[in-house]
């Protein structure tokens, strides 16, 4: 049985559109270890809690969803509550080393993991080697900020099913049920709104064994092509499984997985 999905380090081709490199696929962080502890367990939380309980959460690794509100220069943006009548918003500072996608419409939430801090411009500029305009960020001094080590779009499963082209090449987080586990590095994510019958294929190595049940899967949405994957990775699937996946999923969207989180509303 297949037990490994390993990257070929000698390959420099990219499966991703828009210049997103292979280094972005292998882990959820691209920061130096002293900046973000990638092994810290995130606490699922919302924007309101970060905004109103900053002291209790300071230094805590968190995972949260919210709606994009506004860019704040090239390295930060404001994230608001994902509610009908939002009251709170927070600043998110991007230290991933990668650009982030901004939703094309207000409907698509964003997913952020990172650490809660109090914003101090000079300290943060030095610590993370950022250029933060004092005039632009004056209003945030002393306010809560999430220093983000991972940023993704969090589309509704129906959005992914109906318009996958809008998300190809982008980091996404999609909710569903882990149903059919084909191998330790391949499974289907199912949802009543996701590709009725076959679900959404998810491929790639993850740190912990895959378990059936509700999950939020983060990764990069691509069009499934076994040949393209084999050009980048050593795929150790048995012939029967290869044939099954090729027949069911070729040309369909799939997620090249980066992390699996417990499902959160």
């Amino acid at each position: 049985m297949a037990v490994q999905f390993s990257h070929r380090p000698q390959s420099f081709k990219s499966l991703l559109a828009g210049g997103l490199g292979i280094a972005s696929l292998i882990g959820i962080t691209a920061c130096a270890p002293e900046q973000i502890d990638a092994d810290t367990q995130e606490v699922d939380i919302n924007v309101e809690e970060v905004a109103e309980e900053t002291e209790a959460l300071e230094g805590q690794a968190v995972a949260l969803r919210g709606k994009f509100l506004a860019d704040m220069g090239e390295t930060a943006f404001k994230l608001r509550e994902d509610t009908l009548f939002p009251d709170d918003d927070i600043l998110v500072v991007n230290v991933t080393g990668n650009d982030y996608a901004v939703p094309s419409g207000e409907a698509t939430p964003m997913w952020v993991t990172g650490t809660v801090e109090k914003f101090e411009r000079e300290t943060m500029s030095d610590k993370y080697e950022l250029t933060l305009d004092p005039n632009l960020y004056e209003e945030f001094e002393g306010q809560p900020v999430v220093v983000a080590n991972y940023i993704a779009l969090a589309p509704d499963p129906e959005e992914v099913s109906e318009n996958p082209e809008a998300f190809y090449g982008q980091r996404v987080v999609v909710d569903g049920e882990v149903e059919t586990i084909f191998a330790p590095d391949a499974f289907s994510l199912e949802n009543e709104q996701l590709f009725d019958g076959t679900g959404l294929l998810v491929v790639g190595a993850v740190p912990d064994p895959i378990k059936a049940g509700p999950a939020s899967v983060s990764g990069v949405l691509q069009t499934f092509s076994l040949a393209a994957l084999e050009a980048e990775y050593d795929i150790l699937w048995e012939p029967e499984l290869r044939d099954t996946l090729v027949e069911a999923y070729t040309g369909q969207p799939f997620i090249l997985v980066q992390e699996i989180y417990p499902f959160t509303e």
Side-chain angles (χ1 to χ4, degrees), residues 26 33 39 50 63 92 98-99 105 120 134 145 148-149 159 179 183 237 254 257:
I26 307 306
D39 296 325
V50 175
V92 176
N98 299 306
D99 293 333
E120 296 177 355
V145 59
N149 63 356
E159 289 185 83
E179 290 281 352
W237 293 337
F254 86 105
V257 66

Side-chain angles (χ1 to χ4, degrees), residues 27-235:
I28 66 167
T29 61
C31 309
E34 67 271 18
Q35 294 177 336
I36 294 291
D37 182 358
D39 296 325
T40 301
Q41 183 65 45
E42 295 97 353
V43 172
D44 296 315
I45 208 163
N46 59 47
V47 170
E48 181 182 14
E49 290 173 293
V50 175
E52 298 182 3
E53 301 175 22
T54 308
E55 290 189 7
L57 292 170
E58 191 170 356
Q60 174 68 58
V62 297
L64 70 160
R65 298 171 194 256
K67 292 290 185 70
F68 175 83
L69 184 58
D71 269 318
M72 300 301 298
E74 296 182 357
T75 58
F77 60 94
K78 291 202 288 187
L79 194 70
R80 68 169 175 82
E81 291 179 87
D82 187 6
T83 59
L84 187 59
F85 302 105
D87 292 323
D88 294 300
D89 60 75
I90 57 171
L91 182 68
V92 176
V93 174
N94 175 24
V95 297
T96 66
N98 299 306
D99 293 333
Y100 55 87
V102 173
S104 57
E106 292 186 0
T108 304
M110 297 184 74
W111 170 280
V112 173
T113 67
T115 304
V116 178
E117 299 185 16
K118 281 188 178 178
F119 185 81
E120 296 177 355
R121 188 190 61 81
E122 291 186 2
T123 300
M124 192 159 290
S125 296
D126 293 340
K127 183 177 181 180
Y128 299 108
E129 299 181 352
L130 300 172
T131 301
L132 301 174
D133 185 337
N135 296 319
L136 185 61
Y137 291 96
E138 183 179 6
E139 66 176 288
F140 299 103
E141 200 70 26
Q143 299 299 310
V145 59
V146 173
V147 180
N149 63 356
Y150 189 76
I151 301 170
L153 299 176
D156 185 89
E158 187 175 10
E159 289 185 83
V160 178
S161 292
E162 293 182 352
N163 188 22
E165 292 81 6
F167 303 101
Y168 281 144
Q170 303 292 348
R171 301 177 191 88
V172 296
V173 173
V174 180
D175 301 325
E177 291 273 341
V178 176
E179 290 281 352
T180 305
I181 300 175
F182 299 108
D185 50 18
F187 63 91
S188 69
L189 186 71
E190 300 192 15
N191 184 300
E192 61 182 14
Q193 298 172 311
L194 269 176
F195 307 104
D196 190 31
T198 59
L200 178 65
L201 180 64
V202 180
V203 171
V206 292
D208 299 314
I210 301 165
K211 297 179 181 179
S216 298
V217 174
S218 73
V220 180
L221 193 71
Q222 297 292 304
T223 304
F224 182 70
S225 165
L226 183 57
L229 281 174
E230 288 181 324
E232 291 286 342
Y233 299 91
D234 293 317
I235 298 178

